[in-house]
Amino acid sequence: MAGVIDVFPRRPLALRTDPRRRRNRILLLVAAFALALPSLYWGYQTVHSAMLRADLKARGVPAAETLGAEGDCTSRRSRLSGDQTPIDCWLNATYRLRPEEGGGTRTAPVHLEGAAPIFTPTVIYDPQDPDRVMLEPEMERSLTWSELLGPVFLLLFPAIVLLIFFLGSRRGLAKAARNPDPAVACVERVNRQPRKLYLHSRLPGAARPHVDVFTPPEGPLLVPPPPGAPADSQWVLALKSGGGHYVLDEQLAWLDLADDERNRVLSAARGY
């Protein structure tokens, strides 16, 4: 066992670049960005609506005449009763400006929470920019809980993907490799999943075990047990890092080693 520790290089090491791993991590970032788009769009609409509502309440004026509105409305049908609950409408409202703003008619898209109106509500517009408009009931209402919390809820999905991204990073192993301190750890438990292998190992004298994750066909580098160790225990090669350790793979493929360095360590680990 002393041979494995002795032949392990002590120079600063780097991690090898894995094209497949790098591609998968890029795909995770792309997925997180794609999942964040609906939340960003919904949040932008909510912020834009809130700012427009505040501006129109402060300086908005009613149109000289609201001529009408056309568009589509959505509703939700109950599967139990068959009743429909109105959700909202997206309309194109036509209105006439006051003489102070030059008169004339304009058409602008507007949103209306709830059911379609029988008579078109009054259009309120910004005299400094008459294309910024809202229907009066929409201007007076408060933001709904869905508008306030919906974008935040949708951010949970990209947050989960980012969590997977950061948990899959090897920053700890990279830090341990920069100042390598090899050691052997005792395998306490192995949890095999269809696509993952979870290895629980403990350094001699450590207070608690450390968990390393391997993706088959990858596995840990098994080494001969140290003198006096129980015969039924398995031991693996690891790099110490602070109060923990990182188990190395069986081919030492994660580390950027010279061929002769890798062969010496593997030969010592396998006992020949």
Side-chain angles (χ1 to χ4, degrees):
M1 172 49 57
V4 177
I5 304 301
D6 291 340
V7 301
F8 197 94
R10 295 302 200 276
R11 66 180 178 84
L13 301 174
L15 301 187
R16 293 181 65 184
T17 301
D18 185 344
R20 184 181 65 176
R21 175 182 172 80
R22 181 172 57 185
R23 183 187 69 247
N24 291 340
R25 289 179 64 77
I26 291 174
L27 289 176
L28 279 176
L29 289 177
V30 172
F33 177 75
L35 289 172
L37 288 178
S39 175
L40 296 176
Y41 178 71
W42 194 353
Y44 168 79
Q45 284 191 319
T46 299
V47 172
H48 180 268
S49 176
M51 294 176 63
L52 178 58
R53 183 176 287 108
D55 289 346
L56 293 181
K57 283 184 177 181
R59 62 172 183 268
V61 296
E65 183 181 4
T66 301
L67 302 175
E70 296 181 352
D72 299 320
C73 296
T74 58
S75 60
R76 183 183 301 107
R77 180 184 294 275
S78 172
R79 294 185 178 181
L80 298 177
S81 63
D83 296 336
Q84 289 189 342
T85 303
I87 299 177
D88 61 3
C89 299
W90 289 95
L91 310 169
N92 289 317
T94 303
Y95 54 101
R96 191 184 307 278
L97 300 181
R98 304 183 308 170
E100 294 92 322
E101 285 77 52
T105 60
R106 298 199 181 188
T107 300
V110 293
H111 176 260
L112 184 64
E113 193 79 8
I118 298 176
F119 300 102
T120 304
T122 300
V123 167
I124 307 296
Y125 67 86
D126 184 349
Q128 299 177 11
D129 185 358
D131 289 327
R132 302 181 70 222
V133 304
M134 268 189 171
L135 297 178
E136 187 173 20
E138 184 74 5
M139 184 191 70
E140 296 295 340
R141 76 172 179 86
S142 301
L143 291 176
T144 63
W145 284 106
S146 63
E147 290 174 310
L148 291 172
L149 299 180
V152 178
F153 174 78
L154 288 182
L155 282 177
L156 292 176
F157 299 101
I160 292 173
V161 176
L162 286 178
L163 179 62
I164 296 173
F165 175 84
F166 286 114
L167 288 178
S169 69
R170 292 178 177 172
R171 287 179 297 175
L173 178 59
K175 180 179 179 181
R178 286 195 293 269
N179 186 22
D181 184 9
V184 293
C186 181
V187 177
E188 294 191 346
R189 182 159 58 94
V190 177
N191 183 9
R192 298 181 183 274
Q193 301 293 334
R195 296 185 179 181
K196 297 290 183 182
L197 185 148
Y198 297 87
L199 182 80
H200 299 248
S201 62
R202 188 194 304 261
L203 291 176
R208 57 183 180 179
H210 177 79
V211 181
D212 290 276
V213 182
F214 294 86
T215 302
E218 289 179 344
L221 178 58
L222 298 176
V223 296
D232 58 348
S233 298
Q234 288 186 313
W235 294 77
V236 290
L237 183 63
L239 291 181
K240 294 181 181 179
S241 178
H245 66 278
Y246 293 90
V247 176
L248 299 177
D249 69 289
E250 58 188 347
Q251 298 298 328
L252 297 178
W254 297 344
L255 299 178
D256 188 12
L257 295 169
D259 290 341
D260 59 329
E261 292 175 326
R262 180 175 289 104
N263 291 334
R264 282 200 301 271
V265 175
L266 292 179
S267 297
R270 293 163 183 168
Y272 56 84

